[in-house]
Amino acid sequence: TYLKIEYKHVCKGRRIVPGKGTETCNTEIIDLNKKHKECPLCKSQNSFKSKIVGYKGFSDDFEQFIDPTEYDLIVIDEFHRIKEKKTGWTQIIKEAFRDVIPRKLLLSGTAIKSRPAEFFMGLNFLDPKTWNSQHDFGVRYCAGFEDTFGWKYDGASNLEELYERMSPVFLRRLKKDVLSHLPPKTYTNIPIELDSAESKEYNRLLEDCVKIIDGKEVKEGYLEKILKLKLYLAKCKLKRVIDFIQETVDSGEKVVIMSDFQEIAEAVHEHFKDVSVIHTGAMSDVTKQESVERFQNDKKVKVFSGMIIASGVGITLTAASKLIFMGFAWTPSDMEQAEDRIHRASTTHDNIQRVTPYAVETIEEDIMELLEEKAQIVGRVLDNKAIKKDIKNADESILKSLFGRMGAK
């Protein structure tokens, strides 16, 4: 069955009344459209004030309707999708179920991705009386502050108190606790040094970003410049990593490559075309699943070239015990989700290897630090303790022998 938000629109434009001059139109429309551009009566543009008034149910292919009042328990999987107050997904769930169904169970493998603010809508859904003010929550637990653009709730504060307050309604189980047979993970960071020509081009791209920060006029936005930097560094690293991937292929092992740019994923696939599959968001669901099945079942396929986000959830890649990150997501949970594609109950390997090449003295070191900071915040919110990972740093020259040793184990 399907539910859609119902809106009430009231026109605040002016209309001409013969003999009286003009008055507020006040035309009302109740429908499923989020907004109306033009009033059908007074013809005013963008004059409607809209608000949610409820929801409407539609039958499925079997002519079945859902009536929330008939249920006393609702279970919502992937509840982190309701973290944003204004999304249609969140509004539908809130309007249709929050105050109607008394018992609620929210499930997620990624309760929050990087900051406490993401928790509020879930807590409000469970207990709107206790968690009744997003602003108060933001000020108390998100280091909220007001600037010239309004209130910001992107920080973290009083996390131990938040953990204690959440405890009565929050149950967390880690994979290591419920799947004790899973092998350990080994984390290895590989520093990559740019050569003189690469450093020169990197510094040129970096200068473009600095121009934006300094307010100088450029054609592209800051994020676009940052993405150009990240893509360039990924290309530089790929020149070195190709040899490491080849070593793994030659040894008969399988390896997963996770990129943050489709261009890099395609380059990996093109280089190892005869023994690789590709998996990106640009592909159909059917084609993506075919890639997963070939990697898992075809002994000739040794390389899975995927994307951190598009390939990071909902698939199993346990034919491999090694994963190389060719780039970085913006949140630690997205990275962890991606690496867990090879760390699942069906694995038969004794050890899981995550390798992260990074370009030294570049923004990649800053990104790694920021991801670590976010991971610590998530750990303190969810577990009331810091996250500890034994991460080894290795010189790029030993990566081949490193893979060889892991294979021997």
Side-chain angles (χ1 to χ4, degrees):
T1 57
Y2 305 93
L3 295 173
K4 288 189 176 182
I5 290 292
E6 198 167 40
Y7 297 88
K8 179 179 180 179
H9 314 274
V10 180
C11 177
K12 295 302 179 181
R14 305 295 293 180
R15 64 174 180 172
I16 298 174
V17 180
K20 295 183 179 180
T22 64
E23 65 180 16
T24 303
C25 180
N26 285 328
T27 296
E28 290 188 6
I29 300 175
I30 297 178
D31 59 18
L32 304 177
N33 296 315
K34 195 171 184 178
K35 60 178 64 176
H36 285 273
K37 186 175 182 180
E38 180 181 272
C39 176
L41 183 62
C42 71
K43 305 300 180 183
S44 296
Q45 299 290 313
N46 302 313
S47 59
F48 279 103
K49 299 293 184 181
S50 305
K51 67 176 183 178
I52 297 172
V53 293
Y55 65 91
K56 190 172 183 179
F58 296 86
S59 65
D60 61 12
D61 294 338
F62 302 98
E63 298 300 318
Q64 297 295 312
F65 287 85
I66 186 171
D67 182 357
T69 62
E70 296 179 353
Y71 298 87
D72 65 357
L73 170 67
I74 181 171
V75 180
I76 300 177
D77 196 12
E78 305 291 359
F79 86 86
H80 57 271
R81 291 180 62 188
I82 67 172
K83 66 180 181 179
E84 298 294 343
K85 182 178 181 179
K86 294 183 179 180
T87 63
W89 173 262
T90 303
Q91 291 175 342
I92 287 173
I93 289 176
K94 178 182 176 182
E95 288 292 326
F97 305 118
R98 190 190 70 178
D99 300 325
V100 178
I101 300 179
R103 300 162 63 206
K104 312 173 184 82
L105 186 62
L106 307 182
L107 309 176
S108 178
T110 312
I112 62 173
K113 288 193 172 187
S114 63
R115 51 200 175 100
E118 299 168 15
F119 238 136
F120 176 78
M121 292 309 300
L123 292 169
N124 174 262
F125 181 79
L126 288 174
D127 186 358
K129 291 183 179 179
T130 300
W131 308 94
N132 57 8
S133 171
Q134 190 168 19
H135 172 73
D136 291 346
F137 183 93
V139 171
R140 183 66 182 166
Y141 303 116
C142 309
F145 67 94
E146 187 177 19
D147 63 14
T148 55
F149 299 100
W151 280 90
K152 305 293 183 184
Y153 309 110
D154 296 329
S157 53
N158 302 303
L159 298 185
E160 186 172 352
E161 177 188 308
L162 175 60
Y163 178 81
E164 293 296 329
R165 287 190 64 193
M166 292 191 320
S167 294
V169 296
F170 181 69
L171 177 66
R172 178 164 159 86
R173 289 291 179 263
L174 301 176
K175 187 184 291 187
K176 63 182 180 64
D177 298 326
V178 296
L179 296 174
S180 57
H181 67 282
L182 280 178
K185 290 181 183 179
T186 300
Y187 297 88
T188 307
N189 293 340
I190 309 294
I192 303 290
E193 292 190 8
L194 304 183
D195 61 31
S196 58
E198 292 168 338
S199 294
K200 183 177 180 179
E201 176 61 14
Y202 170 79
N203 288 329
R204 186 190 69 80
L205 293 171
L206 182 62
E207 179 62 26
D208 285 346
C209 290
V210 174
K211 286 179 183 178
I212 295 182
I213 296 173
D214 291 342
K216 298 176 183 176
E217 208 169 313
V218 291
K219 293 181 180 179
E220 297 163 309
Y222 181 62
L223 180 58
E224 188 173 350
K225 292 290 187 179
I226 289 291
L227 293 177
K228 273 193 173 183
L229 268 179
K230 291 183 68 183
L231 176 58
Y232 178 72
L233 292 173
K235 290 178 179 178
C236 293
K237 292 186 295 182
L238 185 58
K239 297 175 186 177
R240 284 80 160 176
V241 175
I242 284 291
D243 291 338
F244 308 150
I245 300 173
Q246 188 64 57
E247 284 286 321
T248 305
V249 171
D250 292 344
S251 71
E253 293 185 77
K254 298 197 176 199
V255 61
V256 173
I257 315 298
M258 289 291 190
S259 308
D260 55 340
F261 291 96
Q262 184 166 322
E263 182 177 339
I264 300 300
E266 290 173 348
V268 172
H269 176 53
E270 184 63 29
H271 189 90
F272 297 96
K273 201 161 191 177
D274 295 336
V275 293
S276 73
V277 293
I278 189 169
H279 186 285
T280 74
M283 300 163 58
S284 69
D285 290 342
V286 172
T287 307
K288 286 191 289 186
Q289 184 57 34
E290 289 174 353
S291 293
V292 172
E293 292 176 0
R294 284 191 61 206
F295 182 74
Q296 286 287 91
N297 303 315
D298 189 339
K299 293 182 178 180
K300 295 180 180 179
V301 177
K302 302 297 184 183
V303 179
F304 180 94
S305 183
M307 304 282 289
I308 295 174
I309 302 299
S311 313
V313 295
I315 62 174
T316 296
L317 303 172
T318 50
S321 64
K322 299 178 178 66
L323 182 146
I324 301 176
F325 278 117
M326 285 304 304
F328 301 91
W330 295 115
T331 67
S333 60
D334 287 331
M335 301 286 286
E336 187 173 3
Q337 286 270 33
E339 72 188 50
D340 279 348
R341 298 311 96 206
I342 67 172
H343 192 240
R344 302 179 74 76
S346 58
T347 187
T348 58
H349 301 288
D350 295 327
N351 189 281
I352 298 300
Q353 175 88 21
R354 166 186 153 167
V355 177
T356 307
Y358 68 96
V360 298
E361 297 182 0
T362 70
I363 60 165
E364 291 200 329
E365 291 185 331
D366 298 311
I367 293 172
M368 292 171 71
E369 289 180 5
L370 290 171
L371 287 172
E372 176 61 22
E373 289 175 9
K374 289 184 177 181
Q376 294 304 322
I377 290 173
V378 171
R380 289 174 62 196
V381 173
L382 301 184
D383 300 311
N384 198 29
K385 60 184 179 182
I387 294 176
K388 295 182 179 180
K389 289 183 179 178
D390 183 16
I391 301 177
K392 299 176 181 179
N393 284 292
D395 185 88
E396 70 173 281
S397 63
I398 71 165
L399 188 55
K400 294 180 183 179
S401 60
L402 178 65
F403 275 177
R405 289 184 182 184
M406 296 307 303
K409 292 180 181 180

